[in-house]
Amino acid sequence: MAEITLQIAGRTYSVSAREEDEPHLRHIEARIARHAETAHRAAGGLGSERTLLYLVLILADALDEAETRPVQDASPLLLERIADRLEAVALALEEAGPNA
């Protein structure tokens, strides 16, 4: 396990994670950073705990919206390409047989 240091809303946190998870954690850290200033303003600059609370609320709201709202912006071309790729994967699995 590696110790990874993350900067979230002006605070530093060390977390234990597998080394191969570091790129994903850095990606999440960057996503959180995009909302940190909004959370800080919403908290009125009253401290990091309140900022973290607002940050959690912002991210939970975004997650809820993503989980409950159907995808409306996907183009028919994109959906067709995804379907073609899934068919190709299914065909490759069928050709590989049960021992693959």
Side-chain angles (χ1 to χ4, degrees):
M1 296 295 265
E3 282 292 313
I4 299 170
T5 303
L6 302 172
Q7 292 284 331
I8 297 176
R11 297 189 71 176
T12 301
Y13 299 92
S14 291
V15 296
S16 295
R18 296 178 306 199
E19 287 184 26
E20 61 267 20
D21 290 337
E22 185 171 359
H24 181 65
L25 287 170
R26 295 289 175 213
H27 173 74
I28 292 170
E29 178 185 39
R31 292 189 77 173
I32 292 170
R34 288 195 296 265
H35 298 287
E37 182 57 36
T38 301
H40 184 68
R41 284 193 312 270
L46 295 177
S48 59
E49 284 186 34
R50 193 152 182 89
T51 298
L52 289 174
L53 169 65
Y54 279 98
L55 187 54
V56 167
L57 291 172
I58 290 167
L59 295 171
D61 182 55
L63 177 61
D64 183 62
E65 184 176 325
E67 289 179 342
T68 59
R69 188 182 68 183
V71 176
Q72 298 174 4
D73 298 334
S75 73
L77 178 61
L78 174 62
L79 294 175
E80 185 177 323
R81 288 178 62 200
I82 291 170
D84 289 344
R85 292 183 83 181
L86 288 173
E87 287 178 21
V89 168
L91 181 61
L93 289 173
E94 286 177 11
E95 289 175 355
N99 296 326

